[in-house]
């Protein structure tokens, strides 16, 4: 801002104007890369759920119904959050 009463002030050169919105990344992911990441994440979650269910079956085969019930309750809590 130039002060008309002060001869020492200069106008600021605003040559760079930012574009609207979120700034672009240097190397954005393609649609195929994003989809591959999504599938890998979903597969990992399913694998973890499968392993926990196998643990519950092991508890049941061992006759420990209390542990199996607790593990199933925690699984229900995790899967019903969504």
């Amino acid at each position: 801002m130039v002060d008309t009463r002060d001869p020492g002030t200069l106008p600021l050169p605003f040559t760079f104007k930012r574009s609207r919105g979120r700034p672009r990344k240097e190397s954005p992911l393609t649609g195929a890369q994003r989809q591959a990441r999504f599938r890998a994440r979903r597969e990992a979650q399913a694998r973890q759920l499968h392993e926990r269910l196998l643990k519950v079956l092991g508890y049941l085969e061992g006759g420990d119904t209390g542990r199996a019930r607790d593990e199933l309750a925690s699984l229900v809590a995790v899967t019903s959050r969504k």
Side-chain angles (χ1 to χ4, degrees):
M1 175 178 244
V2 178
D3 187 4
T4 56
R5 294 171 283 164
D6 185 11
T9 59
L10 298 173
L12 296 174
F14 290 112
T15 57
F16 176 71
K17 183 179 177 189
R18 280 188 59 185
S19 59
R20 294 178 56 169
R22 186 177 186 150
R24 292 186 178 261
K25 289 185 174 183
E26 290 181 17
S27 58
L29 295 175
T30 64
Q33 290 170 325
R34 276 196 305 275
Q35 185 66 31
R37 281 187 175 184
F38 171 75
R39 286 186 183 131
R41 193 171 49 245
R42 207 165 95 187
E43 183 180 332
Q45 289 171 348
R47 198 175 320 118
Q48 183 182 19
L49 180 64
H50 181 63
E51 289 170 1
R52 288 180 73 179
L53 285 172
L54 288 176
K55 186 192 303 185
V56 168
L57 289 175
Y59 290 150
L60 288 175
E61 288 174 355
D64 195 358
T65 58
R67 275 183 127 175
R69 189 179 305 118
D70 292 340
E71 186 69 25
L72 281 174
S74 72
L75 280 173
V76 167
V78 168
T79 56
S80 65
R81 271 191 270 176
K82 299 173 185 178

